[in-house]
């Protein structure tokens, strides 16, 4: 499974960063560090812009 931020949709609201339980989302460009991500999907559910894609 790959979880990715679609930069063209991201508004930079940072909700995903606040909700991630393992601090796997980097703030400067809002990207997910897959080595830390536990694939809980909370970020995708919380994103108001539907910018987080799960494949
Ligand atoms: S799926 Fe969960 S652990 Fe992975 S980046 Fe999103 S909130 Fe963080
Ligand atoms: S919640 Fe969605 S729109 Fe907000 S910073 Fe994260 S990816 Fe971007």
């Amino acid at each position: 499974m790959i979880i990715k931020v679609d930069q063209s949709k991201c508004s930079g609201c940072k909700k995903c960063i606040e909700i991630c339980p393992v601090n796997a989302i980097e703030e400067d460009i809002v990207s997910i560090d897959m080595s830390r991500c536990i694939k809980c999907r909370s970020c995708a559910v919380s994103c108001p812009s539907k910018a987080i894609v799960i494949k």
Side-chain angles (χ1 to χ4, degrees):
M1 189 201 291
I2 292 172
I3 304 180
K4 242 175 58 169
V5 179
D6 180 342
Q7 300 296 337
S8 67
K9 289 187 180 169
C10 175
S11 67
C13 73
K14 302 190 175 161
K15 272 196 183 144
C16 57
I17 293 165
E18 286 164 25
I19 211 154
C20 179
V22 294
N23 296 319
I25 307 180
E26 278 148 36
E27 200 167 331
D28 38 348
I29 48 160
V30 192
S31 64
I32 296 167
D33 178 349
M34 289 308 293
S35 66
R36 296 174 88 172
C37 174
I38 55 168
K39 303 178 176 72
C40 72
R41 299 172 185 239
S42 299
C43 55
V45 172
S46 74
C47 177
S49 309
K50 308 219 179 313
I52 301 182
V53 188
I54 301 172
K55 281 189 192 163

